[in-house]
Amino acid sequence: MNSREILDILKNSANLNFEYKDGKWCGYGTINNCPECNNISESCYRYKHYPEKKEKLESLPWTNVVKNPRYPQDGEYPTENGHYITMLDCDEHAVFVNEFKDGQWSLYNKTHVKWWMPVSMVQGQFN
């Protein structure tokens, strides 16, 4: 899967707004912030929209999937400091750029970060 395909899935499944601002990458999105959510019933969202978007997001080529985010094991977090695209196992699969520094995530450390990949997997689309 190339970086354009990854970004398309992030945009279409989580309405991720990804940009380079003030010298760093940033972005945030969730399944329930997709524009089509404004015009669907709760039943359609719960039984069709959410499962479809969730499956697409989880199918991305994540660098790692943390088995239990509340008790991450050795080797489940990045080995290098930097900015990563992360996805939570809660909050409608929130996707955002998260900084990893000195063995910890800047947001949701050891609570909900289940999927992650380096920003470099998609940043080529903006250079």
Side-chain angles (χ1 to χ4, degrees):
M1 184 176 289
N2 67 39
S3 58
R4 180 79 259 157
E5 292 168 318
I6 293 169
L7 279 176
D8 286 346
I9 289 172
L10 290 168
K11 177 66 178 164
N12 294 327
S13 297
N15 200 26
L16 178 70
N17 293 308
F18 188 67
E19 62 184 324
Y20 191 73
K21 190 161 121 180
D22 299 327
K24 64 181 179 178
W25 291 100
C26 54
Y28 178 80
T30 63
I31 292 173
N32 64 346
N33 281 330
C34 291
E36 63 267 29
C37 288
N38 298 330
N39 300 315
I40 60 175
S41 68
E42 173 147 352
S43 175
C44 183
Y45 176 81
R46 182 176 304 203
Y47 298 108
K48 184 177 186 311
H49 178 81
Y50 181 82
E52 287 175 2
K53 302 297 184 177
K54 176 181 178 275
E55 182 178 342
K56 285 182 181 179
L57 288 168
E58 290 181 7
S59 75
L60 288 171
W62 298 101
T63 302
N64 204 354
V65 178
V66 179
K67 288 180 184 151
N68 184 344
R70 284 110 189 125
Y71 302 101
Q73 302 298 306
D74 290 342
E76 289 187 323
Y77 278 179
T79 56
E80 297 179 16
N81 290 342
H83 288 88
Y84 294 82
I85 298 171
T86 59
M87 187 166 70
L88 305 182
D89 65 349
C90 66
D91 293 340
E92 306 300 308
H93 273 50
V95 178
F96 57 97
V97 177
N98 202 346
E99 183 177 12
F100 188 78
K101 186 174 180 183
D102 300 328
Q104 296 193 11
W105 296 111
S106 56
L107 298 169
Y108 296 99
N109 188 53
K110 295 185 181 177
T111 57
H112 296 284
V113 175
K114 185 162 177 91
W115 297 268
W116 59 268
M117 71 174 78
V119 167
S120 62
M121 289 188 68
V122 297
Q123 78 183 44
Q125 290 298 306
F126 300 97
N127 294 336

